[in-house]
Amino acid sequence: MFAKTYGATTLGIDGQIIDVEVDVSPGLPGFELVGLPDTSVKESKERVRTAIRNSGIQLRQERVTVNLAPADVRKDSSGLDLPIAVGLLASYGMVPEAAVQSALFSAELSLDGNCRPISGILPMAITARENGLTEFYVAPSNADEALLIDGLKVFAVENLAQLVRHLTGTEKLTPSAPKPIKDTKDNAFTDDFADVQG
């Protein structure tokens, strides 16, 4: 079975959408990751498999091929863990593919399935909106940065199991909302440029 999800990486100050294509087929069990992955991305296959297992999800032992497109762009973000995991679950039929078609996923996975923050969320959010994606799933501490861009529903995801429940409809996550800005009149700056030597 085949499924596709969307992840992102940054190239300088710009975001780049990465198509995460996952194919699961009968044969000798294996996990191939292609599409010019950097070391941190190559290691994601171990994080993803372990995170899925520790989230209480059992997968059949089959041959898995993950392609990160476009193939000529080096992928160097551990934030591709989450889209790889979601693509893998969608290809096994455990997550409806329709639920992931207009969403961007970006978080590193810990071995127990928790979502960890990554850097470069703002350019990824801008690129997601420019490419017509409407939902953005990130680690909780990345949500405020993603909310700086209008036109995206931002979901703060604690862990992979929670995301699977949301995508399958058994639990609904509430989109994150911007936090109110505190009045800074009483918070006068105590530092001055005159304090800087040179």
Side-chain angles (χ1 to χ4, degrees), residues 122-186:
L122 185 60
M124 292 177 192
I126 293 169
T127 305
R129 187 186 62 187
E130 289 172 350
N131 283 273
L133 300 177
T134 57
E135 297 176 349
F136 195 10
Y137 294 87
V138 297
S141 54
N142 282 145
D144 287 340
E145 187 178 352
L147 285 167
L148 294 173
I149 304 303
D150 293 330
L152 282 176
K153 277 187 187 175
V154 176
F155 293 92
V157 181
E158 296 282 347
N159 54 57
L160 184 60
Q162 181 190 49
L163 177 58
V164 170
R165 291 193 301 271
H166 171 75
L167 294 174
T168 56
T170 57
E171 174 188 326
K172 275 297 172 196
L173 290 175
T174 305
S176 299
K179 293 178 182 165
I181 299 173
K182 296 178 183 174
D183 187 12
T184 58
K185 288 181 183 176
D186 298 332

Side-chain angles (χ1 to χ4, degrees), residues 35-73:
L36 207 58
D38 199 353
T39 304
S40 64
V41 180
K42 285 179 185 175
E43 293 171 348
S44 73
K45 65 183 180 182
E46 297 305 327
R47 288 191 300 269
V48 166
R49 282 197 295 202
T50 307
I52 288 173
R53 187 181 68 243
N54 289 332
S55 297
I57 302 167
Q58 295 298 319
L59 299 179
R60 297 183 307 276
Q61 292 294 311
E62 295 191 286
R63 182 170 182 78
V64 175
T65 305
V66 178
N67 179 42
L68 305 174
D72 61 343
V73 174

Side-chain angles (χ1 to χ4, degrees), residues 6 11 33-34 58 70 94 116 121 134 150 152 166:
Y6 298 103
L11 301 171
L33 189 59
V34 297
Q58 295 298 319
M94 297 182 168
R116 291 182 171 157
I121 289 292
T134 57
D150 293 330
L152 282 176
H166 171 75

Side-chain angles (χ1 to χ4, degrees), residues 57-124:
I57 302 167
Q58 295 298 319
L59 299 179
R60 297 183 307 276
Q61 292 294 311
E62 295 191 286
R63 182 170 182 78
V64 175
T65 305
V66 178
N67 179 42
L68 305 174
D72 61 343
V73 174
R74 179 164 285 284
K75 288 74 175 186
D76 60 358
S77 172
S78 60
L80 291 171
D81 288 2
L82 192 59
I84 290 171
V86 172
L88 186 57
L89 294 172
S91 66
Y92 272 96
M94 297 182 168
V95 167
E97 203 171 342
V100 302
Q101 287 180 343
S102 61
L104 180 67
F105 300 90
S106 198
E108 180 182 326
L109 288 174
S110 65
L111 296 183
D112 60 359
N114 287 325
C115 293
R116 291 182 171 157
I118 61 164
S119 58
I121 289 292
L122 185 60
M124 292 177 192

